[in-house]
Amino acid sequence: DADVTQTPRNRITKTGKRIMLECSQTKGHDRMYWYRQDPGLGLRLIYYSFDVKDINKGEISDGYSVSRQAQAKFSLSLESAIPNQTALYFCATSDTDRGNQPQHFGDGTRLSIL
Amino acid sequence: QQQVKQSPQSLIVQKGGIPIINCAYENTAFDYFPWYQQFPGKGPALLIAIRPDVSEKKEGRFTISFNKSAKQFSLHIMDSQPGDSATYFCAAIIRGTSYGKLTFGQGTILTVHP
């Protein structure tokens, strides 16, 4: 079983819809992250959480929100999806006690907004 | 603002060649420089990493060269194989419990022909 599981793996939806991407982990890590990947831009941090009560904005948080439901679960929501949010989204985790490295990534959610 | 700049965007070599991927950073507070490897349909995974007090690190066929004064580092893949075909990301991080955020380069798509 994967240590970091993302659902769904693929999603096609329409402009204006609310979408939730879910991430769960079995690694027991405190820290969780959401990134988006776009060709030529690398991975950019959307939100991160250092523990259940701690949520922080990353470099591109506009249009997104997150919820840390438990140590093992971190979800990303697009309140009203727009086409330029079409991208590959990754969840990652890291262990505070090991200096936050490495980060362990899920296999991604490919999101297309029409 | 892209704090880590990576080049080239894509690279094609023949089997046995030595592809070189270069990265430059701006923030001198970065104190850990990992490289991640990503295969199609998968999330990035840590490949090799270096601290700025070391000028070179080798792990198998993969070598990082680090030039602190120039704020540059590079990945060399010796005797490249078709199985090395993947997207490679350099990254930088300020380790420690207060930070832990990775800044990624733009990525390099490497193709190794048989």
Side-chain angles (χ1 to χ4, degrees), chain B residues 14-59:
Chain B
Q14 293 296 125
K15 178 182 175 182
I18 306 175
I20 301 172
I21 303 170
N22 300 298
C23 288
Y25 64 97
E26 299 171 5
N27 188 348
T28 56
F30 289 138
D31 59 4
Y32 193 70
F33 299 86
W35 285 86
Y36 280 77
Q37 180 188 52
Q38 182 184 29
F39 293 107
K42 297 294 185 180
L46 181 67
L47 179 64
I48 186 174
I50 196 168
R51 298 191 316 267
D53 56 344
V54 176
S55 61
E56 185 176 276
K57 183 173 183 180
K58 293 182 180 181
E59 288 188 3

